[in-house]
Amino acid sequence: MGNRSSLLLREEEIAQIEEATGFTPNQIERLYSRFTSLDRGDCGTLSREDFLRIPELAINPLGDRIVNAFFEESNSDRVNFLQFMQVLARFRPIKKNGMNILNSREEKLRFAFKMYDLDNDDLISKEELLAILQMMVGANISEEQLSSIAERTLSEADEDGDNMINFEEFCKALERTDVEQKMSIRFLS
Amino acid sequence: MIYAASASEFLTICARRSSCTIFNANVEEKIHSIEFASDVYHYKNITFFNNDYDYETDIYRQKNVQKKDIILNSSNNMKPKTENLAEYNIFSIEFHRVETPFIIGIWIFSASVAKIGFHMTPRLSKIFPESCLLIVVGVIVGLILFKTNNLHMSPMTPDTFFLYMLPPIILDAGYFMPNRLFFDHLGTILLFAVVGTIFNTMSIGLTLWIFGKTGLFQCETPILDMLLFAALISAVDPVAVLAVFEEIHVNEILYIVVFGESLLNDAVTVVLYHMFESYSEMGSQRIAYSDILSGVLSFIVVAIGGAVIGIMWGFTTSFVTRFTYQVRVIEPSFIFVMAYLAYLTAEVFHMSGILAITFCGITMKNYVEANISFKSHTTVKYTMKMLSSSSETIIFMFLGVATVNNNHNWNTRFILMTVFLCSIYRIIGVIVLTGIANQFRLHKLNKVDKFVMSYGGLRGAVAFALVLLIDPNHVPLQPMFVTTTITVIYFTVFIQGITIKPLVKILNVKRAEKRKPTMNERIHERIIDHIMAGIEDILGKHGNYHVRDKFKHFDNSYIRPYIVRNYCGAEPKILETYSKLTIRDAMDLIRRNASNAAFSNGIDEVNFHRSSSNYEKLNASGLDTQSGWNIDFQELDYNPSKKDMGEAKIHHLLTEELCKPHKRHRRLSYSRHAVDDKDLNTQVNFKIHMNMRRILGEHKHRSRRSKKSSKEMKPNRVSFSKSLGTDLSKSETMKEVTPTATESVLPWKREDTIYFNKPLKVNEFPLWCSAKDYLENDLLKIFFFHNAG
């Protein structure tokens, strides 16, 4: 597999991706081999089905939303490798004196925020929050209870009184959380 | 108990009792009765009471010996006093019977008093960690005992330490272990606990042996004895680490790494210790390679076995608590007893008891908390803290006491060498191992972390108990080891323990921040976890998040439904946070100053209920509504003639009615096995009452103030009076005849009734007091909603 991937990936492509995402060439090749192994159709792009074929992702309550995040920027129903890498780049750990592209605290938070934002209006409404909660908690809790939790959460974060959470309020709510740490993955190199 | 005047009488009384006391029996009678009693009636315990002496005899066990005793003892006391038959001793001293528990009690008491003492002197407790001060007190007590030659009972034997004093501390540590943090850093912890400890043992032991070879210590230093000593001295001690780290509040990652290491290295220490002990008993010539191999294997067995035993007991405990909802009061005892049993079970099989009880605590915590009642939870929490802190106190004190004895063998070079080697190898080990660990860690351990980790490698009571366990017959150097161990412990606890606090400050180590998660943080962090797990899945990487997600899924679908009684969904933590926050909000709102905007709304609402319901009442009672009842406080004119209504009376009434304690629904019969949950509410209700009363009090003042300047009404009041609607609009025009609020509420207290032809019949309590009105109030709804749910 490793052979094939390095064959398919040309030098300038690697350089381009490195420029755009900050991954090292080694990491890029490694991830490319993962990309190709996900790509069942061998067409150089991934479809939603390719993602959802991962068994663990299927049981992840947010699986759909995460997959969706990959497609948001492409505007089509397929993701190419560069787009794939651009999404993953958000989860690179922040280095003090290295290339930090796409992986700032804000970008990480933005990704989390997008999970809630079902209708892409840059605001989290009560319905959206409720929907996400339902995905996570499952059916064992009554609707009423969940909606009071959602209300409570909204009112806690809401500062301008519009009963929505905008991105600033979202960042404010998480300002004590070590997002840089929590939303980083050690990519093997 | 039977009191019989003589043996023959006793023989006639014979009943199915387990013990009896016989007065003034002669020897033959005694022996006869003993035999008779034991053979025929299987009595266990017979006391002969001869006024000159008394003793108890346990016939079951030592019949023959006791017979001899009887003859010997009584031959000295052959002064039969037949006349004192009726004279029963009102007062007698029998100390030896209660001696052991009594002394234990005195120990706990004095140690706890000493602890109080430290915290009363803020200057002392600022400089010294508690453990140091306790050791000092222990030494003082030891000196007193030593001078008075009272040291007949060695206070700390390895058995008491390992069986009674250590388990509570470890259970406390395991039960309150931050699970997530622990498992996130498990790799690093294991690296330090296993590799680090082995490295320390080997290097210290071998270096000591090499120096011994050169004749530096002026004594024979066989390699196995050196390794045995190194095994016990190289382990970081959980008790000492806890005692010091709880006070310095370093950030949680640092804490969990050092503390986790100290917990998990127990398995390694136990194995190495037993291995070298049996090797040195066997003699170095007879050790085959197979023995070394089996030593390695036994490490795996001891560690894994201990953990597995603990986890099994943990699940069993959780499962049992599923069924305790009928007998809530025994819930805490299950948790304690079963955890202790886990420890003992592991010890039976020579597994690591510390690991067992730690994992038992870690496992049961989540499930048990979902099963037991809130009260039991509090009980468990407090009892655990109480037990662990008292045994910690005693351990340090005993360490001090045990220092003072005659058997010291002070070898300066050996001691200095050991202290030096312990510190130097700890530092080397930490530097090397963090280098390895950082390769795999997202959060790199920096220089300051390394320093705190190596400096926090405190040795403590576990080492001391282990060194006492060494058999001096096999290891002739044992007294020297004991002295050295004590010195090393003193060095780490005193010098490192005292200096670590200022050093942490100077080096600006990231401190721990105590915070309670907000709803947003709780939910968003869970979302982040899911995201990370998802991304790891996409990457095909089996990292922490992936494993945790898998475990959570397994837990939620296969474990929780069977173990947790009221299984409620996948995210218990979110619900937990929600209910905690709701309670806090409700309490906050009630506690908050009435000037707060949110609250003044609340008051208005209360007031509204009160006024409108009164209004309706009055209507219903057939009063002339045209007479213009103004029930609203704030619209009233100040009426000096009514001022002498008597503040005291109002106050009295308010006190009586508002602070009336919650009605207790006592059961008719006293039940030992259940606690009525309704009793719980008393305090809370009292609080509400107090607050309502205070609010009213403030309100009264405010309204009086407003009466003085009735022209300039605040906007919210205007809006409020509007909100009362048109019903009151008529009354507003007739202010001259309006009685004061107190009068409207408490009409029967009024002296002049000129406005009324017939006495008022109003509900005795202000209506808003009734629960219905409370519940209509938004403020309190949240509170009651919670209480009910």
Side-chain angles (χ1 to χ4, degrees):
Chain A
M1 197 73 83
N3 262 341
R4 203 186 91 197
S5 65
S6 53
L7 276 178
L8 286 170
L9 212 58
R10 288 192 307 272
E11 290 272 320
E12 60 266 27
E13 272 179 331
I14 293 181
Q16 188 203 347
I17 292 168
E18 190 180 349
E19 184 115 336
T21 61
F23 282 110
T24 63
N26 262 343
Q27 287 171 332
I28 294 171
E29 284 192 24
R30 214 173 248 279
L31 289 171
Y32 190 67
S33 85
R34 175 69 183 166
F35 183 80
T36 46
S37 76
L38 287 177
D39 179 17
R40 290 288 171 86
D42 274 337
C43 49
T45 54
L46 296 180
S47 65
R48 275 173 203 271
E49 288 69 40
D50 286 329
F51 279 108
L52 291 174
R53 219 172 277 133
I54 304 168
E56 292 91 351
L57 207 58
I59 60 165
N60 192 322
L62 290 179
D64 264 337
R65 297 294 304 156
I66 296 168
V67 172
N68 197 48
F70 282 88
F71 291 92
E72 225 146 58
E73 280 159 37
S74 71
N75 290 324
S76 72
D77 55 352
R78 304 206 63 90
V79 180
N80 64 26
F81 185 55
L82 180 63
Q83 288 160 341
F84 180 73
M85 293 299 276
Q86 272 170 339
V87 175
L88 291 183
R90 299 200 162 80
F91 299 98
R92 286 173 55 235
I94 297 175
K95 292 216 171 68
K96 270 183 196 134
N97 41 12
M99 290 234 294
N100 286 319
I101 306 163
L102 290 172
N103 62 346
S104 65
R105 181 186 168 93
E106 201 191 322
E107 283 293 336
K108 287 175 195 295
L109 278 172
R110 177 73 72 181
F111 190 91
F113 184 76
K114 286 275 179 209
M115 288 291 122
Y116 294 97
D117 190 13
L118 300 170
D119 56 4
N120 277 328
D121 63 350
D122 273 344
L123 289 170
I124 303 176
S125 68
K126 191 192 155 192
E127 285 70 35
E128 286 168 334
L129 193 57
L130 200 57
I132 294 291
L133 276 176
Q134 249 155 1
M135 286 184 206
M136 279 205 310
V137 178
N140 298 50
I141 297 177
S142 71
E143 187 94 3
E144 206 173 302
Q145 228 170 340
L146 267 188
S147 101
S148 60
I149 291 178
E151 264 168 34
R152 161 79 226 215
T153 313
L154 264 182
S155 65
E156 191 181 88
D158 190 21
E159 283 179 345
D160 51 14
D162 60 353
N163 249 342
M164 306 269 216
I165 302 179
N166 60 29
F167 186 60
E168 282 72 45
E169 287 162 352
F170 184 77
C171 293
K172 194 98 193 286
L174 281 177
E175 67 184 347
R176 294 190 299 177
T177 309
D178 192 1
V179 178
E180 293 93 330
Q181 193 69 239
K182 281 206 159 98
M183 292 192 68
S184 296
I185 286 184
R186 213 171 48 84
F187 287 94
L188 297 171
S189 56
Chain B
M1 197 170 276
I2 305 169
Y3 293 101
S6 70
S8 47
E9 190 182 325
F10 156 72
L11 293 176
T12 58
I13 293 180
C14 291
R16 287 191 203 92
R17 308 269 173 99
S18 62
S19 65
C20 78
T21 302
I22 301 170
F23 290 96
N24 302 319
N26 63 34
V27 182
E28 288 80 29
E29 271 180 332
K30 275 175 191 166
I31 295 168
H32 180 62
S33 60
I34 287 169
E35 280 177 343
F36 181 81
S38 61
D39 291 339
V40 181
Y41 287 99
H42 305 287
Y43 279 25
K44 274 183 188 159
N45 214 339
I46 299 176
T47 309
F48 288 99
F49 219 94
N50 216 358
N51 286 352
D52 290 334
Y53 72 99
D54 62 83
Y55 61 89
E56 288 178 357
T57 162
D58 196 341
I59 300 164
Y60 259 173
R61 267 187 286 141
Q62 7 179 316
K63 196 168 155 189
N64 294 325
V65 182
Q66 288 297 346
K67 253 192 211 169
K68 247 186 246 164
D69 276 359
I70 293 161
I71 294 162
L72 272 177
N73 280 335
S74 36
S75 62
N76 295 334
N77 291 286
M78 282 303 275
K79 293 175 259 170
K81 295 177 188 169
T82 41
E83 71 277 8
N84 59 6
L85 218 163
E87 205 179 289
Y88 177 70
N89 265 13
I90 297 170
F91 180 81
S92 62
I93 296 174
E94 192 184 16
F95 183 65
H96 67 92
R97 194 170 144 239
V98 295
E99 189 179 8
T100 317
F102 191 83
I103 288 177
I104 293 170
I106 287 287
W107 273 116
I108 297 175
F109 171 71
S110 55
S112 306
V113 167
K115 209 168 179 169
I116 295 174
F118 306 143
H119 292 285
M120 300 279 261
T121 52
R123 282 185 64 195
L124 264 184
S125 56
K126 223 176 212 172
I127 303 170
F128 299 101
E130 216 176 73
S131 44
C132 298
L133 294 162
L134 286 171
I135 290 184
V136 171
V137 172
V139 170
I140 294 169
V141 173
L143 278 175
I144 295 169
L145 288 179
F146 189 67
K147 289 285 174 211
T148 54
N149 286 326
N150 249 337
L151 208 63
H152 61 285
M153 188 177 111
S154 167
M156 184 148 91
T157 62
D159 259 358
T160 50
F161 176 75
F162 282 114
L163 291 186
Y164 305 114
M165 296 199 263
L166 194 56
I169 298 176
I170 308 296
L171 175 64
D172 175 66
Y175 194 81
F176 295 105
M177 172 89 75
N179 276 3
R180 170 155 190 185
L181 211 56
F182 179 74
F183 286 109
D184 273 356
H185 299 276
L186 190 62
T188 315
I189 292 170
L190 279 178
L191 186 72
F192 276 96
V194 179
V195 182
T197 311
I198 293 176
F199 166 77
N200 272 339
T201 306
M202 290 303 165
S203 48
I204 292 174
L206 292 177
T207 319
L208 281 177
W209 174 65
I210 290 167
F211 277 108
K213 277 273 181 193
T214 63
L216 185 69
F217 307 135
Q218 291 148 351
C219 62
E220 195 79 7
T221 53
I223 180 164
L224 283 175
D225 293 6
M226 287 299 124
L227 284 172
L228 175 64
F229 174 67
L232 63 91
I233 205 74
S234 61
V236 177
D237 181 71
V239 184
V241 166
L242 262 183
V244 169
F245 272 62
E246 292 219 318
E247 287 182 35
I248 59 176
H249 304 296
V250 291
N251 66 67
E252 59 231 335
I253 295 176
L254 208 49
Y255 171 79
I256 202 73
V257 170
V258 178
F259 175 58
E261 178 201 345
S262 71
L263 274 182
L264 298 194
N265 69 13
D266 171 70
V268 185
T269 313
V270 167
V271 172
L272 286 176
Y273 177 82
H274 284 303
M275 203 163 81
F276 290 129
E277 193 186 29
S278 52
Y279 286 172
S280 67
E281 273 171 27
M282 274 158 41
S284 51
Q285 295 83 19
R286 290 195 295 152
I287 300 172
Y289 283 106
S290 60
D291 289 325
I292 294 171
L293 189 72
S294 62
V296 175
L297 279 181
S298 80
F299 160 70
I300 296 166
V301 170
V302 164
I304 308 275
V308 167
I309 288 176
I311 290 170
M312 273 161 44
W313 274 104
F315 277 125
T316 321
T317 316
S318 322
F319 189 65
V320 169
T321 53
R322 190 191 159 135
F323 305 102
T324 51
Y325 56 96
Q326 295 290 354
V327 267
R328 289 284 193 200
V329 280
I330 58 168
E331 278 170 349
S333 65
F334 269 124
I335 291 165
F336 289 107
V337 167
M338 294 181 78
Y340 190 49
L341 283 175
Y343 182 85
L344 295 180
T345 317
E347 292 288 313
V348 167
F349 297 109
H350 283 282
M351 311 261 185
S352 165
I354 293 187
L355 274 186
I357 202 167
T358 307
F359 275 92
C360 184
I362 289 177
T363 316
M364 73 160 106
K365 173 173 64 181
N366 281 324
Y367 308 113
V368 160
E369 270 178 23
N371 277 338
I372 64 177
S373 74
F374 183 71
K375 262 167 114 187
S376 306
H377 181 58
T378 314
T379 314
V380 168
K381 210 160 125 185
Y382 267 87
T383 318
M384 220 171 250
K385 291 282 170 212
M386 185 195 77
L387 285 178
S388 69
S389 78
S390 15
S391 46
E392 187 189 291
T393 312
I394 297 174
I395 284 173
F396 282 116
M397 234 171 135
F398 277 8
L399 213 57
V401 174
T403 314
V404 190
N405 65 37
N406 271 330
N407 308 328
H408 282 302
N409 183 351
W410 183 270
N411 184 332
T412 315
R413 289 176 185 175
F414 187 76
I415 287 167
L416 284 180
M417 203 66 211
T418 313
V419 171
F420 175 73
L421 289 179
C422 279
S423 326
I424 209 80
Y425 281 122
R426 172 80 190 166
I427 293 168
I428 293 173
V430 166
I431 288 173
V432 173
L433 291 176
T434 42
I436 298 170
N438 273 346
Q439 296 292 314
F440 302 98
R441 286 177 62 87
L442 195 63
H443 171 93
K444 311 276 188 230
L445 296 163
N446 59 26
K447 275 182 196 153
V448 177
D449 292 342
K450 281 181 205 171
F451 174 78
V452 175
M453 282 171 70
S454 43
Y455 210 76
L458 306 173
R459 313 308 206 264
V462 173
F464 182 68
L466 283 175
V467 82
L468 288 183
L469 266 182
I470 298 178
D471 187 354
N473 298 326
H474 292 294
V475 184
L477 287 176
Q478 196 251 8
M480 185 177 88
F481 288 165
V482 174
T483 313
T484 313
T485 308
I486 289 177
T487 320
V488 171
I489 293 170
Y490 276 35
F491 175 78
T492 57
V493 171
F494 276 87
I495 298 187
Q496 298 187 353
I498 291 172
T499 50
I500 197 165
K501 222 173 181 177
L503 279 173
V504 161
K505 254 186 207 151
I506 291 166
L507 292 172
N508 208 3
V509 178
K510 217 170 120 203
R511 299 300 192 87
E513 39 184 279
K514 271 258 182 274
R515 64 183 169 107
K516 295 221 162 100
T518 62
M519 215 48 229
N520 273 285
E521 282 171 341
R522 190 56 102 182
I523 292 178
H524 300 330
E525 279 171 17
R526 279 303 296 148
I527 290 283
I528 289 176
D529 284 349
H530 282 304
I531 294 174
M532 297 315 289
I535 295 292
E536 278 190 351
D537 296 335
I538 288 174
L539 291 175
K541 181 172 176 270
H542 299 290
N544 271 344
Y545 290 102
H546 171 82
V547 174
R548 180 179 311 115
D549 219 50
K550 275 221 144 166
F551 174 73
K552 279 220 157 164
H553 188 72
F554 179 76
D555 185 40
N556 282 326
S557 41
Y558 300 109
I559 303 177
R560 279 188 180 270
Y562 299 104
I563 284 187
V564 176
R565 189 158 44 83
N566 288 324
Y567 175 62
C568 55
E571 300 288 347
K573 282 276 164 62
I574 289 182
L575 284 183
E576 190 191 303
T577 312
Y578 176 68
S579 63
K580 265 187 198 158
L581 285 173
T582 323
I583 297 187
R584 213 185 58 200
D585 281 0
M587 290 319 284
D588 261 10
L589 276 174
I590 285 171
R591 216 175 286 130
R592 212 180 293 160
N593 205 313
S595 61
N596 189 301
F599 210 171
S600 48
N601 284 341
I603 294 172
D604 285 351
E605 218 164 318
V606 170
N607 215 6
F608 176 79
H609 286 305
R610 168 193 200 162
S611 327
S612 56
S613 50
N614 258 327
Y615 191 67
E616 283 159 21
K617 256 269 130 47
L618 291 167
N619 268 339
S621 62
L623 279 172
D624 184 12
T625 41
Q626 300 302 318
S627 68
W629 271 81
N630 188 347
I631 303 101
D632 184 13
F633 274 161
Q634 291 141 353
E635 306 302 322
L636 292 174
D637 261 343
Y638 181 53
N639 196 346
S641 68
K642 302 284 195 299
K643 198 193 169 189
D644 50 359
M645 255 295 291
E647 295 272 336
K649 262 184 205 165
I650 302 164
H651 187 84
H652 177 70
L653 277 159
L654 284 172
T655 315
E656 258 187 3
E657 283 163 19
L658 295 178
C659 291
K660 190 178 283 176
H662 178 76
K663 263 182 200 158
R664 292 194 186 198
H665 301 276
R666 277 235 173 84
R667 293 179 177 220
L668 286 177
S669 62
Y670 170 77
S671 163
R672 182 186 301 197
H673 306 293
V675 187
D676 196 343
D677 276 344
K678 278 172 186 157
D679 287 353
L680 256 185
N681 295 336
T682 312
Q683 214 184 355
V684 175
N685 270 340
F686 179 69
K687 243 181 191 161
I688 294 175
H689 284 307
M690 284 304 282
N691 278 302
M692 294 311 293
R693 182 181 151 202
R694 196 180 50 76
I695 291 159
L696 269 188
E698 274 170 28
H699 209 74
K700 206 170 64 196
H701 289 304
R702 209 169 54 162
S703 61
R704 193 174 297 149
R705 253 182 280 125
S706 80
K707 280 175 216 154
K708 279 175 186 161
S709 54
S710 59
K711 295 275 152 50
E712 29 180 292
M713 280 194 286
K714 287 179 189 168
N716 72 328
R717 289 190 186 144
V718 173
S719 69
F720 169 68
S721 55
K722 271 179 196 161
S723 77
L724 270 176
T726 48
D727 282 351
L728 285 172
S729 58
K730 300 168 200 162
S731 60
E732 277 172 25
T733 57
M734 307 179 72
K735 282 174 184 170
E736 290 86 359
V737 287
T738 40
T740 60
T742 331
E743 287 168 320
S744 69
V745 177
L746 318 162
W748 69 97
K749 289 289 166 196
R750 191 179 21 245
E751 280 102 17
D752 58 342
T753 49
I754 52 163
Y755 301 114
F756 304 98
N757 302 325
K758 47 188 173 182
L760 263 178
K761 274 178 194 159
V762 188
N763 205 358
E764 279 204 21
F765 295 96
L767 263 183
W768 58 272
C769 265
S770 71
K772 193 175 155 242
D773 283 354
Y774 265 25
L775 286 175
E776 277 169 25
N777 188 351
D778 261 353
L779 257 185
L780 299 160
K781 186 163 71 185
I782 204 164
F783 188 81
F784 276 85
F785 166 71
H786 177 79
N787 259 7

